[in-house]
Amino acid sequence: MKTIIEKIENIKTDHQIIRRAGEILLSGGTVAFPTETVYGLGANALDPSSIKKIFKAKGRPSDNPLIVHIADLADIDSLVSKIPPIAKTLMEHFWPGALTLIFSKSSKVPYEITGGLDTVAIRFPVHPIAQEIIKAAGVPIAAPSANLSGKPSPTKAAHVIEDLKGKVDMIVDGGAASIGLESTVLDITGKIPMILRPGGVTKEMLETVVGPILMDPALSQGQEQDFIPKAPGMKYKHYAPVAEVKVVMGEINAVTEKIQELTKKNKGNLKIGIMATDQTRSSYDEINALVISVGDRLHPETIANHLFDALRWFDEQKVDLIYAEGIQEVQMGIAIMNRLIKAAGYQTIFAESKGGENK
Ligand code: TXA
Ligand code: MG
């Protein structure tokens, strides 16, 4: 299949690219486009045969439901069977933006999108290119992240091209995603809203607006699963580069020492990558490994922004093993650690602090 690749420099003057994308979507094709979280792979959400093309291009299991994207609040009415009062408040505060809400679906939404569930996930992205493409198509757009299933989500058009060129009709390049992690998925069909996937909008941000929010208990468990995640997609291995990833957690000095020690043990037979932070990068100056800083610990949004790109970069460098520093699991750190631990296939190492040193 030939994939049209177009770059949008200016949304006003490049309108013919938007129009083309809209036509392809409306005629049943697939178009990858930027959103503020990650790139999405879109198709007409109301047409089962278009939706099937998404699953095929990504190699995605068919029981993993897709998010329906809209570009106008009024579009939600025909997609859901009821809008709970709390949804109205959430939509007012966080839409358009990085929050996906789960509603009871209307009969208009095909089961191919929902993986057979009676609920539907809906998001109104803020990215102008995403909005314009959805409007140009004139139908709601189903769009999972535009990566091959299991790989890190794409935050740049180059990532999409690497994964999906030749498998989709069009890729629209709109530059790098500003958030870099997927949206927060929030189920509002129960009594108390529950986060099924942590993301761009944090629990604290939601609680300020609507009070207590639950986290799906499946999010805080290791690989031994007692709870089945309520978002079907969260049960799959995910975000994984080809290289093996190990996350080293603990107090910051203990973490850097542990990574130094582990790297020194390698007798040169493995190519090692270290995913450090601005605060720790120089601790590895003497270490025989490929070191990058993924961002600033004091501004976790910078880490969110570069995480997936960093994982893909290590693959390009043909690294065998990546030691990634853990970060504090608060606010945006919760979503970052959720992705990182999954990328590691739950391989975590705890670095003990040496007694008293840092007191
Ligand atoms: O930021 C994002 O959300 C990006 C951009 C493109 O919008 N999209 C995205 O889609 O990350 P995807 O398909 O990669 O992830 C959707 C997640 C999956 O974990 C899926 O299982 C869950 O949302 N999900 C979708 N519909 C659901 C439903 N009805 N009930 C529970 N979970 C659902
Ligand atoms: Mg995805």
Side-chain angles (χ1 to χ4, degrees), residues 272-291:
I272 294 188
I274 298 175
M275 201 196 284
T277 46
D278 292 355
Q279 285 77 3
T280 59
R281 188 190 173 131
S282 62
S283 344
Y284 306 108
D285 283 351
E286 311 291 313
I287 299 287
N288 181 20
L290 213 53
V291 186

Side-chain angles (χ1 to χ4, degrees), residues 90 99-102 184-188 193-196 206 213:
L90 288 164
L99 177 67
T100 295
L101 296 174
I102 310 276
T184 303
V185 177
L186 185 70
D187 186 351
I188 47 168
M194 185 187 275
I195 293 179
L196 309 189
L206 293 166
I213 300 272

Side-chain angles (χ1 to χ4, degrees), residues 58 60 145 147 153 182 238:
K58 280 183 56 92
R60 180 175 174 116
S145 48
N147 51 288
S153 294
E182 304 86 342
H238 239 105

Side-chain angles (χ1 to χ4, degrees), residues 43-62:
N44 180 352
L46 304 178
D47 175 38
S49 68
S50 304
I51 299 163
K52 282 188 187 133
K53 292 179 189 167
I54 291 182
F55 286 96
K56 184 159 176 240
K58 280 183 56 92
R60 180 175 174 116
S62 64

Side-chain angles (χ1 to χ4, degrees), residues 75-300:
D75 292 347
I76 197 176
D77 295 335
S78 66
L79 301 170
V80 307
S81 65
K82 121 169 163 238
I83 303 180
I86 202 167
K88 296 219 169 81
T89 315
L90 288 164
M91 280 149 56
E92 257 164 41
H93 276 85
F94 298 105
W95 279 11
L99 177 67
T100 295
L101 296 174
I102 310 276
F103 295 88
S104 304
K105 80 174 199 69
S106 75
S107 58
K108 208 175 158 192
V109 175
Y111 279 109
E112 280 79 0
I113 278 222
T114 70
L117 298 172
D118 287 315
T119 51
V120 61
I122 303 189
R123 177 159 112 79
F124 183 169
V126 77
H127 199 296
I129 298 179
Q131 290 190 0
E132 290 303 315
I133 289 178
I134 300 165
K135 281 187 205 155
V139 286
I141 297 298
S145 48
N147 51 288
L148 288 176
S149 206
K151 291 248 278 169
S153 294
T155 55
K156 294 176 174 169
H159 302 156
V160 183
I161 293 169
E162 181 180 292
D163 280 14
L164 297 178
K165 190 176 169 204
K167 296 185 165 147
V168 300
D169 295 302
M170 186 175 186
I171 297 172
V172 177
D173 180 349
S178 58
I179 297 180
L181 286 188
E182 304 86 342
S183 62
T184 303
V185 177
L186 185 70
D187 186 351
I188 47 168
T189 60
K191 251 203 175 122
I192 304 176
M194 185 187 275
I195 293 179
L196 309 189
R197 178 177 73 179
V201 174
T202 64
K203 182 169 183 268
E204 290 80 1
M205 286 159 77
L206 293 166
E207 286 184 331
T208 329
V209 176
V210 292
I213 300 272
L214 301 171
M215 297 285 272
D216 183 351
L219 289 170
S220 55
Q221 68 189 352
Q223 203 164 15
E224 320 71 40
Q225 310 243 316
D226 294 328
F227 299 98
I228 296 171
K230 293 190 178 57
M234 298 299 281
K235 72 176 180 272
Y236 294 106
K237 184 175 173 182
H238 239 105
Y239 317 112
V242 176
E244 187 176 2
V245 182
K246 293 187 180 179
V247 186
V248 183
M249 314 217 274
E251 181 274 321
I252 184 164
N253 293 325
V255 166
T256 52
E257 274 172 35
K258 186 78 188 173
I259 293 179
Q260 289 169 359
E261 178 196 316
L262 289 165
T263 310
K264 281 182 194 154
K265 271 192 202 149
N266 173 47
K267 296 283 174 269
N269 45 344
L270 288 180
K271 189 167 178 185
I272 294 188
I274 298 175
M275 201 196 284
T277 46
D278 292 355
Q279 285 77 3
T280 59
R281 188 190 173 131
S282 62
S283 344
Y284 306 108
D285 283 351
E286 311 291 313
I287 299 287
N288 181 20
L290 213 53
V291 186
I292 53 165
S293 168
V294 72
D296 178 352
R297 286 174 176 267
L298 298 176
H299 299 281

